[in-house]
Amino acid sequence: MIDWCQSYCKLWIMSITNKAIPPHQTPWIIQAALVFSCLYWSYHVLVSQMVIVQDAHVYKKIADILYTEGWIGYFKAGPLREPFYPFLISISLHLESWIHVPYQDIQKIFQFCFALNAQYLLWIMLRNLKINTTIAAGILFFFAVSPDIVNSIVSLFCEVVAFPIVLFIVFLSSRLRNELFLPNSSYPRLISQSFLLGFLFFLLICTKGAFEFVFPFFVLALFILFFSALKTKNTSILKKSLFVLILIILTAQVPLQFIKSMNKKYNGNYVLTDRGAFM
């Protein structure tokens, strides 16, 4: 399982940066933390039963609309909750009809995979920050046994989907910043990183609409870098930061505005979700 996680994470990073993470020997205590997470979460996935109440009931209702009526039905019934998580549940419903396994079990497997990716990305970030191995292992063990994390894996709530996306955005933002300051930085890498960052922000906002208010602060950091380069007349960083800024905004906002436009067309509300008037 650990080898699979490592291969998966390295494959993603190599596809983005054209570089593999320098090889490191994973300490035994970190391996123990990752194996413990797999076993502990697997136990809860096997013995827990989803209780469909409150928000979970709302997500299930939206997933039923997507499953039976498609996206047009989703927009006509809207505005509803953010679409990404109900879409995942609708995939589980389709799989249930094909393989005759309850959609709750399929959804728990999906959510187990999201949590596992979050756990490994957390370890990558702790290693890059040069956190003491023992402390890093303690953080990973705490992440594994946290009641909030375990509950999010075995419940029909969207938070578990947001965990790895947030971590990947933080990790990729750091890589992109380093790439911007390289004198011989590769434009293909800048393009792939920028597109992926924008797409991840789009997915995150479509999972938790509140992150739409976080996105401008992320863009603000790039604007500050742009104006700093303009002030110092650093043409290399000036051009690259403007290029990256435009790509990220377009990749995140074009599909987001399309969803809002579809809501406006079919239910008269130019919003992403029913959670608030400004989303």
Side-chain angles (χ1 to χ4, degrees):
M1 181 63 74
I2 291 176
D3 290 340
W4 178 86
C5 292
Q6 290 174 330
S7 300
Y8 176 85
C9 195
K10 288 177 181 178
L11 180 63
W12 267 91
I13 294 166
M14 288 174 68
S15 67
I16 300 158
T17 64
N18 202 29
K19 298 177 182 177
I21 295 178
H24 293 279
Q25 182 66 38
T26 305
W28 70 267
I29 193 170
I30 299 298
Q31 294 186 35
L34 295 174
V35 170
F36 173 79
S37 300
C38 293
L39 296 176
Y40 187 69
W41 293 340
S42 296
Y43 166 76
H44 283 282
V45 166
L46 291 172
V47 303
S48 300
Q49 296 293 324
M50 280 187 172
V51 179
I52 312 299
V53 295
Q54 299 176 346
D55 280 358
H57 177 72
V58 175
Y59 285 125
K60 175 59 168 58
K61 183 179 178 181
I62 299 171
D64 285 334
I65 293 173
L66 286 169
Y67 176 64
T68 57
E69 303 176 40
W71 285 103
I72 299 302
Y74 168 83
F75 291 119
K76 286 182 177 179
L80 301 171
R81 294 292 175 87
E82 300 89 339
F84 185 50
Y85 187 65
F87 172 67
L88 289 178
I89 302 173
S90 71
I91 293 175
S92 297
L93 291 170
H94 279 289
L95 290 174
E96 178 186 44
S97 66
W98 296 339
I99 62 177
H100 307 293
V101 174
Y103 81 90
Q104 296 97 325
D105 294 337
I106 298 171
Q107 189 66 26
K108 283 190 289 185
I109 293 172
F110 282 161
Q111 295 179 178
F112 170 84
C113 293
F114 276 102
L116 198 60
N117 281 293
Q119 178 80 311
Y120 193 72
L121 282 168
L122 179 59
W123 157 234
I124 292 291
M125 293 176 64
L126 291 170
R127 188 182 69 185
N128 289 350
L129 290 169
K130 297 180 171 30
I131 303 297
N132 177 273
T133 301
T134 305
I135 295 175
I139 293 171
L140 295 177
F141 275 113
F142 179 78
F143 185 86
V145 301
S146 169
D148 289 337
I149 301 299
V150 175
N151 185 58
S152 68
I153 293 172
V154 299
S155 300
L156 212 60
F157 297 137
C158 66
E159 283 74 15
V160 70
V161 176
F163 297 152
I165 300 177
V166 170
L167 289 170
F168 207 179
I169 286 174
V170 173
F171 175 77
L172 194 56
S173 299
S174 174
R175 304 281 292 193
L176 179 60
R177 181 188 177 279
N178 293 338
E179 189 71 32
L180 285 170
F181 282 97
L182 287 176
N184 59 341
S185 55
S186 165
Y187 268 90
R189 283 202 296 272
L190 285 175
I191 292 171
S192 60
Q193 290 174 347
S194 301
F195 270 123
L196 185 54
L197 262 176
F199 180 69
L200 288 172
F201 259 111
F202 166 68
L203 283 185
L204 186 60
I205 294 168
C206 286
T207 303
K208 295 291 288 185
F211 282 99
E212 189 173 359
F213 298 110
V214 176
F215 183 69
F217 292 98
F218 178 84
V219 171
L220 178 62
L222 288 173
F223 265 115
I224 292 172
L225 179 61
F226 171 77
F227 285 113
S228 176
L230 184 64
K231 183 178 180 180
T232 59
K233 298 181 179 179
N234 189 328
T235 56
S236 175
I237 295 180
L238 182 68
K239 290 188 292 185
K240 288 185 289 187
S241 59
L242 180 61
F243 180 70
V244 165
L245 184 63
I246 292 172
L247 282 180
I248 291 175
I249 291 175
L250 287 177
T251 309
Q253 289 298 318
V254 168
L256 187 63
Q257 299 310 313
F258 173 76
I259 292 175
K260 291 183 177 182
S261 298
M262 293 295 283
N263 271 320
K264 177 67 175 177
K265 177 180 178 179
Y266 286 102
N267 59 64
N269 296 278
Y270 190 77
V271 293
L272 172 68
T273 173
D274 61 354
R275 290 184 188 269
F278 300 103
M279 292 186 184

